[in-house]
Amino acid sequence: SQQGEEDPQALSIQEGENATMNCSYKTSINNLQWYRQNSGRGLVHLILIRSNEREKHSGRLRVTLDTSKKSSSLLITASRAADTASYFCATDARTSYDKVIFGPGTSLSVIP
Amino acid sequence: EPEVTQTPSHQVTQMGQEVILRCVPISNHLYFYWYRQILGQKVEFLVSFYNNEISEKSEIFDDQFSVERPDGSNFTLKIRSTKLEDSAMYFCASSITQGNGYTFGSGTRLTVV
């Protein structure tokens, strides 16, 4: 299975702290994506990193990708209460861009 | 900001009934997807669709499911004979090309009773 697995399953931090979530996957990929889901809402695309990239930034988000370890991390710096959500990594497979599989997610709580 | 629109937001149906979930993807997007999320569980891939054909589907997407793009704007998911276990949030997504991030709709909550 290509499915990513996030770690930890749940994370609780104080506002202003950094939050780091990890994702591991099993098969070779073209791209890895991170999404956010607020409770009961749709998924919001955060960032996509391609297999030939090692690091990408978007605002307070930093994503790294280590294809040798088949792992990625999402760092949210200077967290805010509004960052409280579930975060999912999603991977395609080297043989198919069209089947993107989501991991089970990390539930992040940022305490004001 | 362009959006993916899904209707209805909530649908309740009797077991065994047919249901059609509707989606309007972003107008210049070419790739379309359906996912579902059973309450409290992970987001599951159902099907991807491009050029009026299914390009990938999962084991969940059996003969009870079908997708259609009946005109230039709508993308529908039909469940022929709903079961209790089909109760879930169904998300439609679209992307402009392969290998790009998806834009998701807000979802349709399907409740089968």
Side-chain angles (χ1 to χ4, degrees):
Chain A
S1 165
Q2 74 201 70
Q3 182 180 334
E5 294 281 338
E6 291 90 343
D7 166 54
Q9 289 185 333
L11 181 61
S12 184
I13 58 173
Q14 293 287 115
E15 202 165 30
E17 293 180 338
N18 295 340
T20 299
M21 288 159 270
N22 302 298
C23 170
S24 60
Y25 57 92
K26 296 191 172 85
T27 63
S28 295
I29 61 171
N30 297 299
N31 305 306
L32 184 144
Q33 307 179 50
W34 285 92
Y35 287 82
R36 184 186 74 227
Q37 184 181 38
N38 289 83
S39 181
R41 306 292 297 274
L43 294 132
V44 175
H45 179 253
L46 296 176
I47 203 162
L48 180 149
I49 187 164
R50 303 195 189 279
S51 60
N52 60 354
E53 297 175 311
R54 293 295 165 258
E55 188 170 310
K56 214 159 178 184
H57 297 254
S58 176
R60 293 183 296 113
L61 306 181
R62 173 177 167 251
V63 167
T64 62
L65 179 65
D66 186 336
T67 51
S68 66
K69 294 181 180 174
K70 293 188 169 59
S71 68
S72 173
S73 67
L74 170 67
L75 168 68
I76 304 174
T77 59
S79 63
R80 304 168 184 166
D83 295 329
T84 295
S86 291
Y87 291 82
F88 297 89
C89 73
T91 54
D92 63 6
R94 178 68 73 181
T95 54
S96 173
Y97 284 99
D98 291 335
K99 188 175 180 181
V100 170
I101 304 296
F102 284 73
T106 291
S107 176
L108 173 66
S109 295
V110 181
I111 303 163
Chain B
E1 179 98 26
E3 287 185 344
V4 173
T5 306
Q6 289 187 246
T7 54
S9 57
H10 190 186
Q11 179 149 2
V12 182
T13 189
Q14 295 269 349
M15 191 169 57
Q17 294 294 304
E18 175 183 285
V19 66
I20 297 176
L21 308 183
R22 301 181 192 280
C23 170
V24 179
I26 293 173
S27 60
N28 63 340
H29 284 192
L30 301 176
Y31 295 81
F32 314 111
Y33 312 89
W34 283 101
Y35 284 79
R36 79 172 185 191
Q37 185 177 33
I38 295 169
L39 186 64
Q41 297 188 27
K42 59 189 177 190
V43 178
E44 298 176 294
F45 171 79
L46 293 179
V47 67
S48 57
F49 191 86
Y50 168 71
N51 200 26
N52 282 320
E53 287 184 342
I54 290 173
S55 45
E56 293 277 359
K57 60 181 182 178
S58 71
E59 306 77 33
I60 302 166
F61 195 88
D62 61 21
D63 291 345
Q64 292 298 311
F65 291 87
S66 62
V67 288
E68 197 176 34
R69 189 152 160 83
D71 53 41
S73 59
N74 290 286
F75 179 51
T76 61
L77 173 70
K78 183 194 291 186
I79 309 174
R80 276 184 247 291
S81 178
T82 50
K83 308 184 193 76
L84 294 176
E85 55 264 36
D86 293 327
S87 295
M89 280 288 281
Y90 287 81
F91 293 106
C92 172
S94 67
S95 66
I96 193 163
T97 63
Q98 281 183 325
N100 275 301
Y102 297 174
T103 303
F104 277 83
S106 300
T108 292
R109 180 172 298 284
L110 176 66
T111 302
V112 182
V113 297

